[in-house]
Amino acid sequence: GADLLIVDQHAAHERLVYLELARKTREVESQPLLLPIPVELPPNLHETAREAVRALADLGFDIEPMGGRAWAVRAVPTDVDNADIAGLVLDLMGDFESSPREEALTRRRDRILIRVACHSAIRAGQELDRRAMQELLEQMRRERLSFCCPHGRPTIVRVTQHELERWFKRVV
């Protein structure tokens, strides 16, 4: 109609990536990296890393110790496209550390999927061509996308014609 819809491309794409990741079962496809990506973990995350590596393996990551504080990321899920892999792994380890040990595996897995989706999504402010914008909107329509990303931020804001007219002093 006459309403204006403003889409946060990062939040919307993050939601779409999250939905896709969440649909997948244990058969997550993993993509070996040509060269391992080194990640240096702070000392407080080393014990956590040993535990987290097992959980992350179920999601398509292959991470192993290299010695000292360094760990090598040898494979990532195929859904992780344009992510900063080292940053993503550091964030995942930090999330794993901050979550209670008793936290249900499914809830912990969900937190990991949210983080992976965030790092894999289109960046806020990233320029998209018209085709990419249309594809994003079409995916949102097909998925009947909810109005928030996995973190709870809005994906779409609706501005009614009445609000626009009020802003421009056309109505009181």
Side-chain angles (χ1 to χ4, degrees):
D3 294 350
L4 171 68
L5 297 178
I6 302 170
V7 176
D8 179 329
Q9 66 188 24
H10 172 73
H13 191 235
E14 180 180 348
R15 182 66 176 185
L16 290 165
V17 172
Y18 170 78
L19 289 172
E20 184 65 28
L21 291 170
R23 276 192 198 106
K24 293 185 176 181
T25 60
R26 291 257 182 228
E27 300 166 13
V28 175
E29 289 184 42
S30 189
Q31 173 179 318
L33 300 173
L34 188 57
L35 296 171
I37 297 174
V39 178
E40 193 149 322
L41 296 179
N44 65 316
L45 291 182
H46 278 279
E47 273 311 304
T48 299
R50 295 190 190 293
E51 186 181 338
V53 164
R54 289 188 291 276
L56 293 174
D58 289 341
L59 296 171
F61 288 90
D62 179 9
I63 305 169
E64 61 185 38
M66 288 176 53
R69 294 174 26 182
W71 289 70
V73 180
R74 299 196 180 284
V76 296
T78 54
D79 297 312
V80 177
D81 287 338
N82 300 317
D84 163 21
I85 303 298
L88 172 58
V89 169
L90 281 169
D91 285 350
L92 290 172
M93 295 296 180
D95 284 352
F96 212 87
E97 172 69 18
S98 66
S99 67
R101 295 287 182 258
E102 315 78 52
E103 188 175 60
L105 186 59
T106 54
R107 183 168 152 84
R108 194 174 256 188
R109 182 179 186 272
D110 194 55
R111 287 176 58 156
I112 291 169
L113 294 180
I114 290 169
R115 183 67 76 172
V116 171
C118 185
H119 277 265
S120 302
I122 296 167
R123 296 277 137 226
Q126 178 181 338
E127 285 191 37
L128 300 179
D129 61 27
R130 187 174 190 81
R131 195 177 129 273
M133 285 185 244
Q134 288 173 329
E135 177 59 27
L136 179 61
L137 293 172
E138 178 57 27
Q139 285 178 316
M140 292 170 67
R141 188 194 63 73
R142 266 194 320 265
E143 288 291 338
R144 296 192 171 134
L145 186 64
S146 72
F147 290 101
C148 65
C149 77
H151 295 106
R153 290 187 307 271
T155 57
I156 302 171
V157 176
R158 177 186 298 261
V159 181
T160 65
Q161 182 176 0
H162 183 75
E163 287 174 290
L164 283 171
E165 289 172 349
R166 216 177 56 234
W167 290 348
F168 289 99
K169 312 288 187 217
R170 301 231 183 264
V171 294
V172 182

